[in-house]
Amino acid sequence: MNRKIAGLVLILMICFSNSVLAANWIYVQKDADTTVSFDADTAFKQEDTLTFWVRFVYDQPIELGVKKHLWHYVVTTSGPRTFKTLVAYAYDANNNQIAQVK
C-alpha cells in the first residue's frame, strides 16, 4: 500500500512540475508607488521581434482592488516599431486573478 501511495505521489509530482511556469523577475525601477520588473526567463528575440512579460506591483491596491498587473508584450524593432500587448492579467492583494484582457 505504501509503495502505491509513493508511486502515485511521484507521478503527480512529475505531472505538475511540467505545468509550473518558472519566473526570473528582474527589477527595473521603483516609482512613487509601483515596482516594475520583467521576466528574464520568458524574454526572447526572434529576428526583429521581442517578446517579454512585465510585472507591476503596487504598494497599495489601485482601482478595483488591483495589487499586481502582468503584461505580455511583443515589440517589433524594424521598420515602423510596434509595441503590442498580447494579454494582461490583474491580481488582488491575495494573489487571486481578478481580470484578464486579450
Side-chain angles (χ1 to χ4, degrees):
M1 182 68 159
N2 288 338
R3 290 182 94 184
K4 287 182 182 179
I5 292 173
L8 180 61
V9 168
L10 180 62
I11 290 171
L12 289 174
M13 287 174 52
I14 291 171
C15 290
F16 288 116
S17 68
N18 291 337
S19 63
V20 174
L21 298 174
N24 182 16
W25 293 106
I26 305 297
Y27 171 84
V28 176
Q29 71 180 20
K30 169 97 170 127
D31 289 340
D33 62 351
T34 307
T35 302
V36 181
S37 51
F38 80 98
D39 183 11
D41 286 348
T42 60
F44 69 93
K45 181 180 180 194
Q46 184 176 12
E47 296 180 11
D48 63 345
T49 303
L50 300 171
T51 305
F52 56 94
W53 284 88
V54 177
R55 177 178 67 182
F56 302 90
V57 179
Y58 309 103
D59 292 342
Q60 297 296 319
I62 59 172
E63 55 200 44
L64 302 175
V66 174
K67 176 75 172 160
K68 176 174 67 175
H69 275 122
L70 293 177
W71 295 74
H72 193 190
Y73 291 117
V74 173
V75 178
T76 305
T77 59
S78 67
R81 292 186 180 181
T82 60
F83 193 87
K84 183 169 77 170
T85 303
L86 292 179
V87 66
Y89 298 96
Y91 295 88
D92 64 12
N94 295 321
N95 211 30
N96 297 316
Q97 181 182 328
I98 56 176
Q100 175 181 350
V101 178
K102 289 186 178 185

